[in-house]
Amino acid sequence: MHNSIINSSKRYSRYEMFAISAIFFSDALVMSGKYSIAGTLEWLCVLISALFAVPIILIYDRLIKKKQPALFTKILIVAVSAVSILISLVVFTEFVDSCVLPEVNRFIIPASIFILSAYTASKNFGALSKSTHIIIPIIAIFLIFSLLLIITRIDISNVTYPPRTQSSDMYMAIIVYTLIFAIKGILLLYLFKYEKSRYNNGAFVSIGLIIYGIIMALILITSLSVLGPGLYLYLDFPLYYPLGLTQYGYYFERAEILSLIAFLITLTYKIGLYLRIIKMTVKHDKKGASQETAGKQRHAQNWKKNNDNKKQAYGTSKKDATSET
């Protein structure tokens, strides 16, 4: 009975795998504004990069399916996850300091997020996967509600306006985002491998990436169509402001706070996944080291036992030979 409960806690649905992947790939604050590479064509670069990263993820999934990661690979996994956590917290801190609460100590919010994420990661993976049943509906409601608020402000001509982006910048953005998506996808593959997923990890991670790419492209297009290319490029974090321009501002004052809540939820969950990856990688390394030590001990015991048996057999044969003489 106890074993069945433990095994059931390790099982998670296809929906949960899609949701985990889509949230993990989210980098809305990085892919627009002051960190933008392709300007008004950022939405197109995100979509193309998501498609380009899919074959890389699928090929890598086949390569690691029956192989355990080497020590150097584990070090890279931990290092990349730690750097990703740091970058995510720094970017979010700059966003809060610039757009929301400039008077608040800039270390309070990232420290709170990290502590909450660490607590979440310390639980079993079932807690993380089940929480997607709450997070995804909240984000979906936020997106639908946001669209209803700003739908009268959408001007498609702002999207079709001649792009203020050079071809070289667009190519660079596609390369950078493809690399980011591929690295994140590989980290997810290892996480699902550690958690003993019974599904086709590569396929689920790839579909989650495509879902995120489509949603992110639509969000960027919507922000561009509301703000216009000039204001979109001028603002450091343009995705935060469209809700503040709604014509229902009399009823929904500071509606852009909804964007902050969405960023906060996805960031906390995403950092929790990074910390879970680090934890499982270290745990897997210790488990592998203990198994290797146990194997060496068993080998030494078997060798000693065989050696004792040989000595005993040799002593017996020598004793028999002496008695016959």
Side-chain angles (χ1 to χ4, degrees):
M1 178 67 178
H2 178 68
N3 290 334
S4 64
I5 293 175
I6 293 176
N7 291 333
S8 64
S9 67
K10 291 183 178 180
R11 296 177 181 176
Y12 34 94
S13 65
R14 294 179 176 86
Y15 162 81
E16 290 165 358
M17 289 192 68
F18 288 138
I20 290 170
S21 301
I23 297 174
F24 189 69
F25 283 112
S26 63
D27 277 314
L29 293 178
V30 177
M31 296 180 175
S32 62
K34 66 186 297 185
Y35 302 103
S36 173
I37 301 175
T40 56
L41 290 180
E42 204 79 23
W43 63 272
L44 182 60
C45 296
V46 169
L47 196 56
I48 294 174
S49 300
L51 295 175
F52 282 178
V54 166
I56 300 175
I57 294 172
L58 293 175
I59 292 173
Y60 199 87
D61 180 49
R62 293 180 64 88
L63 293 176
I64 67 170
K65 194 171 289 285
K66 296 182 179 180
K67 294 182 180 180
Q68 297 300 326
L71 177 60
F72 179 71
T73 304
K74 293 177 181 178
I75 293 174
L76 279 180
I77 292 172
V78 172
V80 171
S81 299
V83 171
S84 299
I85 291 173
L86 180 61
I87 292 175
S88 299
L89 289 176
V90 168
V91 172
F92 188 77
T93 301
E94 290 187 0
F95 160 68
V96 173
D97 190 45
S98 173
C99 304
V100 189
L101 299 170
E103 66 277 4
V104 175
N105 188 299
R106 60 186 295 127
F107 297 106
I108 293 178
I109 294 179
S112 303
I113 293 173
F114 184 83
I115 292 172
L116 181 59
S117 300
Y119 174 77
T120 306
S122 65
K123 302 298 180 181
N124 60 44
F125 192 66
L128 274 171
S129 61
K130 297 302 179 185
S131 62
T132 57
H133 293 275
I134 301 175
I135 294 175
I136 294 299
I138 290 176
I139 295 176
I141 292 173
F142 157 75
L143 292 175
I144 294 172
F145 184 68
S146 300
L147 182 61
L148 292 176
L149 285 179
I150 63 176
I151 193 167
T152 57
R153 298 287 185 179
I154 294 177
D155 185 359
I156 300 299
S157 64
N158 288 329
V159 180
T160 58
Y161 193 83
R164 303 180 183 182
T165 306
Q166 297 181 1
S167 300
S168 58
D169 295 334
M170 183 176 176
Y171 297 147
M172 179 59 67
I174 292 174
I175 294 173
V176 171
Y177 294 154
T178 300
L179 184 61
I180 292 174
F181 290 149
I183 292 174
K184 283 192 163 190
I186 291 171
L187 291 178
L188 267 183
L189 291 177
Y190 279 115
L191 176 61
F192 290 144
K193 183 180 178 68
Y194 294 149
E195 301 293 349
K196 296 179 173 57
S197 166
R198 66 184 189 275
Y199 300 116
N200 186 340
N201 297 338
F204 280 89
V205 172
S206 299
I207 295 173
L209 172 57
I210 293 174
I211 292 173
Y212 164 73
I214 293 173
I215 294 175
M216 188 65 212
L218 292 175
I219 292 174
L220 290 170
I221 289 175
T222 303
S223 298
L224 177 60
S225 64
V226 172
L227 298 174
L231 189 57
Y232 180 86
L233 295 175
Y234 174 77
L235 296 172
D236 286 341
F237 299 97
L239 298 188
Y240 174 70
Y241 292 100
L243 287 178
L245 300 178
T246 174
Q247 67 175 358
Y248 306 106
Y250 181 79
Y251 306 99
F252 302 102
E253 188 175 353
R254 293 303 303 270
E256 64 270 18
I257 295 299
L258 293 173
S259 301
L260 172 64
I261 296 173
F263 294 150
L264 190 61
I265 292 173
T266 55
L267 177 65
T268 303
Y269 189 83
K270 185 173 63 174
I271 291 179
L273 289 175
Y274 278 125
L275 291 173
R276 183 72 183 180
I277 292 170
I278 294 174
K279 176 184 176 182
M280 294 304 295
T281 303
V282 174
K283 181 179 179 181
H284 187 271
D285 187 52
K286 289 182 178 179
K287 183 179 179 181
S290 62
Q291 288 177 347
E292 183 179 356
T293 303
K296 290 180 179 180
Q297 290 176 349
R298 286 194 300 268
H299 179 73
Q301 290 173 357
N302 292 334
W303 180 86
K304 186 176 182 301
K305 185 177 180 180
N306 292 333
N307 193 38
D308 291 341
N309 291 336
K310 288 180 180 179
K311 287 181 179 180
Q312 186 177 2
Y314 176 75
T316 303
S317 61
K318 187 175 181 181
K319 185 177 180 180
D320 294 342
T322 304
S323 61
E324 288 178 2
T325 305

Short mmCIF file of all heavy atoms in Angstrom, two decimals, residues 108-130:
data_model
loop_
_atom_site.label_atom_id
_atom_site.label_comp_id
_atom_site.label_asym_id
_atom_site.label_seq_id
_atom_site.Cartn_x
_atom_site.Cartn_y
_atom_site.Cartn_z
N ILE A 108 14.23 42.82 -1.50
CA ILE A 108 13.16 42.17 -0.75
C ILE A 108 12.35 41.22 -1.62
O ILE A 108 12.12 40.06 -1.27
CB ILE A 108 12.24 43.24 -0.10
CG1 ILE A 108 13.00 44.01 0.97
CG2 ILE A 108 11.00 42.57 0.49
CD1 ILE A 108 12.17 45.10 1.62
N ILE A 109 11.92 41.71 -2.79
CA ILE A 109 11.06 40.91 -3.66
C ILE A 109 11.79 39.67 -4.20
O ILE A 109 11.26 38.56 -4.10
CB ILE A 109 10.49 41.77 -4.79
CG1 ILE A 109 9.54 42.82 -4.20
CG2 ILE A 109 9.76 40.90 -5.81
CD1 ILE A 109 8.92 43.75 -5.21
N PRO A 110 13.00 39.81 -4.79
CA PRO A 110 13.67 38.58 -5.28
C PRO A 110 13.98 37.58 -4.17
O PRO A 110 13.90 36.37 -4.38
CB PRO A 110 14.95 39.11 -5.93
CG PRO A 110 15.14 40.48 -5.40
CD PRO A 110 13.77 41.00 -5.12
N ALA A 111 14.32 38.09 -2.98
CA ALA A 111 14.59 37.18 -1.86
C ALA A 111 13.33 36.42 -1.47
O ALA A 111 13.37 35.21 -1.20
CB ALA A 111 15.12 37.97 -0.67
N SER A 112 12.19 37.11 -1.46
CA SER A 112 10.91 36.46 -1.13
C SER A 112 10.55 35.41 -2.17
O SER A 112 10.10 34.31 -1.83
CB SER A 112 9.80 37.51 -1.02
OG SER A 112 10.12 38.49 -0.06
N ILE A 113 10.76 35.76 -3.45
CA ILE A 113 10.47 34.81 -4.52
C ILE A 113 11.35 33.57 -4.39
O ILE A 113 10.88 32.43 -4.54
CB ILE A 113 10.67 35.48 -5.90
CG1 ILE A 113 9.64 36.57 -6.12
CG2 ILE A 113 10.61 34.44 -7.02
CD1 ILE A 113 9.86 37.38 -7.38
N PHE A 114 12.62 33.79 -4.11
CA PHE A 114 13.55 32.66 -4.02
C PHE A 114 13.19 31.75 -2.85
O PHE A 114 13.22 30.52 -2.99
CB PHE A 114 14.98 33.18 -3.85
CG PHE A 114 16.02 32.09 -3.85
CD1 PHE A 114 16.51 31.59 -5.04
CD2 PHE A 114 16.50 31.57 -2.65
CE1 PHE A 114 17.45 30.57 -5.05
CE2 PHE A 114 17.44 30.56 -2.65
CZ PHE A 114 17.92 30.05 -3.85
N ILE A 115 12.84 32.32 -1.72
CA ILE A 115 12.48 31.51 -0.55
C ILE A 115 11.23 30.68 -0.84
O ILE A 115 11.17 29.49 -0.53
CB ILE A 115 12.26 32.41 0.68
CG1 ILE A 115 13.59 33.04 1.11
CG2 ILE A 115 11.66 31.62 1.83
CD1 ILE A 115 13.45 34.09 2.20
N LEU A 116 10.22 31.31 -1.43
CA LEU A 116 8.99 30.60 -1.77
C LEU A 116 9.25 29.50 -2.80
O LEU A 116 8.72 28.38 -2.68
CB LEU A 116 7.94 31.59 -2.30
CG LEU A 116 6.57 30.99 -2.69
CD1 LEU A 116 5.95 30.31 -1.48
CD2 LEU A 116 5.66 32.09 -3.23
N SER A 117 10.09 29.80 -3.80
CA SER A 117 10.42 28.80 -4.82
C SER A 117 11.20 27.64 -4.22
O SER A 117 10.98 26.47 -4.58
CB SER A 117 11.23 29.45 -5.94
OG SER A 117 10.51 30.49 -6.57
N ALA A 118 12.12 27.95 -3.30
CA ALA A 118 12.91 26.90 -2.65
C ALA A 118 12.01 25.98 -1.83
O ALA A 118 12.20 24.76 -1.82
CB ALA A 118 13.99 27.52 -1.76
N TYR A 119 11.04 26.57 -1.15
CA TYR A 119 10.09 25.75 -0.38
C TYR A 119 9.29 24.84 -1.31
O TYR A 119 9.08 23.66 -1.01
CB TYR A 119 9.16 26.66 0.41
CG TYR A 119 8.05 25.91 1.13
CD1 TYR A 119 8.31 25.22 2.31
CD2 TYR A 119 6.76 25.91 0.61
CE1 TYR A 119 7.30 24.53 2.96
CE2 TYR A 119 5.74 25.22 1.25
CZ TYR A 119 6.02 24.53 2.42
OH TYR A 119 5.02 23.84 3.05
N THR A 120 8.85 25.39 -2.44
CA THR A 120 8.10 24.59 -3.41
C THR A 120 8.94 23.46 -3.97
O THR A 120 8.47 22.32 -4.11
CB THR A 120 7.60 25.48 -4.56
OG1 THR A 120 6.87 26.58 -4.03
CG2 THR A 120 6.72 24.70 -5.51
N ALA A 121 10.19 23.74 -4.29
CA ALA A 121 11.07 22.73 -4.87
C ALA A 121 11.42 21.63 -3.88
O ALA A 121 11.77 20.51 -4.27
CB ALA A 121 12.35 23.38 -5.39
N SER A 122 11.36 21.96 -2.58
CA SER A 122 11.71 20.97 -1.56
C SER A 122 10.65 19.88 -1.44
O SER A 122 10.92 18.80 -0.91
CB SER A 122 11.91 21.65 -0.21
OG SER A 122 10.69 22.21 0.26
N LYS A 123 9.44 20.16 -1.90
CA LYS A 123 8.37 19.17 -1.86
C LYS A 123 8.59 18.15 -2.97
O LYS A 123 9.46 18.31 -3.83
CB LYS A 123 7.01 19.85 -2.00
CG LYS A 123 6.72 20.89 -0.93
CD LYS A 123 6.68 20.25 0.45
CE LYS A 123 6.39 21.27 1.53
NZ LYS A 123 6.37 20.66 2.87
N ASN A 124 7.76 17.10 -2.98
CA ASN A 124 7.89 16.13 -4.07
C ASN A 124 7.38 16.73 -5.36
O ASN A 124 6.65 17.74 -5.36
CB ASN A 124 7.17 14.82 -3.72
CG ASN A 124 5.68 15.02 -3.48
OD1 ASN A 124 5.00 15.73 -4.22
ND2 ASN A 124 5.16 14.40 -2.43
N PHE A 125 7.73 16.10 -6.46
CA PHE A 125 7.40 16.65 -7.77
C PHE A 125 5.89 16.66 -8.01
O PHE A 125 5.40 17.45 -8.81
CB PHE A 125 8.11 15.85 -8.86
CG PHE A 125 8.07 16.51 -10.20
CD1 PHE A 125 8.72 17.69 -10.43
CD2 PHE A 125 7.35 15.94 -11.25
CE1 PHE A 125 8.68 18.32 -11.67
CE2 PHE A 125 7.31 16.54 -12.50
CZ PHE A 125 7.97 17.73 -12.70
N GLY A 126 5.18 15.79 -7.32
CA GLY A 126 3.73 15.77 -7.46
C GLY A 126 3.10 17.09 -7.07
O GLY A 126 2.14 17.54 -7.70
N ALA A 127 3.65 17.75 -6.03
CA ALA A 127 3.12 19.05 -5.61
C ALA A 127 3.33 20.10 -6.70
O ALA A 127 2.44 20.92 -6.96
CB ALA A 127 3.79 19.48 -4.32
N LEU A 128 4.50 20.06 -7.34
CA LEU A 128 4.77 21.01 -8.43
C LEU A 128 3.86 20.77 -9.63
O LEU A 128 3.33 21.70 -10.23
CB LEU A 128 6.24 20.90 -8.85
CG LEU A 128 7.26 21.73 -8.08
CD1 LEU A 128 8.67 21.33 -8.49
CD2 LEU A 128 7.05 23.21 -8.31
N SER A 129 3.71 19.50 -9.99
CA SER A 129 2.91 19.19 -11.18
C SER A 129 1.42 19.47 -10.95
O SER A 129 0.74 19.99 -11.83
CB SER A 129 3.11 17.72 -11.58
OG SER A 129 2.71 16.85 -10.54
N LYS A 130 0.92 19.15 -9.76
CA LYS A 130 -0.50 19.37 -9.49
C LYS A 130 -0.84 20.86 -9.42
O LYS A 130 -1.98 21.25 -9.71
CB LYS A 130 -0.89 18.70 -8.17
CG LYS A 130 -0.75 17.19 -8.16
CD LYS A 130 -1.56 16.52 -9.23
CE LYS A 130 -1.39 15.00 -9.20
NZ LYS A 130 -2.08 14.33 -10.33
#
